[in-house]
């Protein structure tokens, strides 16, 4: 059966104490309590007896010799356990003028910069890529289109032109092959773009 390590009470001396005598000058009592050397060196310790560690802790001031900016910076980093963090948003990256954020139907904001951004984005999205023009024409869809809309349109056309539903009509079979190729090309383009 495994033996458990003895639990020490709060005021018991540290069992890992490396020295035997208190580091306070003139004290000969056994050391057993650690205290950090400075706010910059929290992992380096003085070893004191109980009386001197209490005295040292009373005079301890973590913020000593820090200005207000350093104190505030220290508080901020301590709230996240001194780990790096990002601003809220998409890993700290916020698109300043997302089109969805500015739905201004009545042009109340009248912000020319936002309007210019919307016009620029709308012209980019409505322009059909040259390699997709033929596929869009075959599927008879409007551009831009989402992947969900594309799948819905494909399902409707597949039901209409599938050879099993049309008694093996050769003309409709060729049209079905074109629809499959167009759908495949558009789906590939949309999944790469997203």
């Amino acid at each position: 059966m495994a033996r458990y390590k003895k639990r020490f009470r709060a005021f018991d001396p540290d069992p890992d104490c490396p020295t035997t005598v208190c580091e306070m000058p003139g004290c000969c009592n056994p050391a057993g309590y650690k205290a950090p050397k400075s706010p910059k060196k929290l992992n380096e310790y003085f070893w004191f007896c109980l009386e001197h560690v209490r005295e040292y802790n009373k005079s301890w001031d973590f913020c000593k010799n820090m200005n207000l900016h350093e104190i505030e910076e220290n508080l901020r980093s301590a709230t996240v356990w001194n780990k790096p963090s990002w601003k809220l948003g998409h890993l700290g990256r916020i698109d300043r003028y997302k089109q969805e954020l500015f739905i201004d139907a009545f042009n109340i904001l009248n912000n020319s910069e936002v309007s210019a951004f919307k016009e620029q984005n709308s012209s980019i999205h409505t322009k059909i890529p040259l390699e997709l023009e033929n596929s869009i024409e075959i599927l008879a869809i409007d551009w831009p289109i989402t992947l969900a809309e594309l799948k819905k349109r494909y399902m409707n056309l597949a039901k209409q032109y599938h050879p099993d539903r049309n008694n093996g009509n050769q003309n409709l079979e060729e049209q079905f092959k074109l629809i499959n190729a167009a759908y495949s090309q558009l789906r590939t383009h949309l999944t790469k773009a997203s």
Side-chain angles (χ1 to χ4, degrees):
M1 185 156 87
R3 299 185 92 187
Y4 293 101
K5 193 175 178 182
K6 182 182 173 188
R7 264 183 87 182
F8 292 94
R9 294 177 303 175
F11 295 109
D12 282 347
D14 192 334
D16 301 326
C17 177
T19 59
T20 55
V21 180
C22 179
E23 290 186 33
M24 188 63 76
C27 181
C28 298
N29 293 334
Y33 304 92
K34 60 184 177 182
K37 289 189 175 183
S38 74
K40 304 284 184 197
K41 300 177 183 177
L42 292 174
N43 293 329
E44 296 178 19
Y45 306 104
F46 291 120
W47 290 91
F48 296 120
C49 63
L50 183 59
E51 179 186 342
H52 287 120
V53 81
R54 285 178 175 165
E55 194 177 300
Y56 183 82
N57 286 342
K58 281 182 187 175
S59 64
W60 173 263
D61 184 7
F62 184 81
C63 298
K64 187 177 182 181
N65 301 326
M66 284 187 185
N67 61 28
L68 288 174
H69 176 72
E70 290 171 332
I71 292 170
E72 186 172 334
E73 186 64 35
N74 194 287
L75 286 171
R76 285 178 189 261
S77 67
T79 56
V80 291
W81 300 282
N82 299 320
K83 302 283 187 221
S85 62
W86 294 269
K87 293 179 182 176
L88 292 175
H90 187 68
L91 295 178
R93 201 183 71 216
I94 298 171
D95 296 334
R96 189 169 172 204
Y97 296 117
K98 270 193 170 177
Q99 191 170 2
E100 302 89 48
L101 297 177
F102 294 97
I103 299 172
D104 187 16
F106 299 108
N107 201 19
I108 295 170
L109 296 175
N110 197 14
N111 190 338
S112 59
E113 194 175 342
V114 174
S115 300
F117 180 80
K118 279 184 175 180
E119 288 173 17
Q120 180 186 3
N121 263 5
S122 64
S123 67
I124 290 170
H125 290 300
T126 55
K127 187 176 179 185
I128 299 171
L130 292 174
E131 67 273 7
L132 301 180
E133 284 180 352
N134 192 28
S135 298
I136 290 169
E137 189 177 315
I138 289 169
L139 296 178
I141 55 174
D142 295 325
W143 188 259
I145 191 167
T146 65
L147 193 57
E149 292 169 343
L150 177 66
K151 286 180 181 179
K152 185 176 179 181
R153 178 64 180 154
Y154 172 73
M155 292 305 289
N156 289 336
L157 289 173
K159 287 177 186 175
Q160 183 180 348
Y161 289 98
H162 198 280
D164 292 343
R165 296 191 67 149
N166 296 301
N167 298 325
N169 187 336
Q170 291 293 324
N171 294 334
L172 294 180
E173 188 175 335
E174 290 301 317
Q175 184 65 25
F176 183 68
K177 288 179 184 177
L178 290 174
I179 289 168
N180 279 335
Y183 170 71
S184 178
Q185 185 184 23
L186 284 170
R187 184 186 64 206
T188 304
H189 177 79
L190 290 175
T191 51
K192 284 182 182 177
S194 62

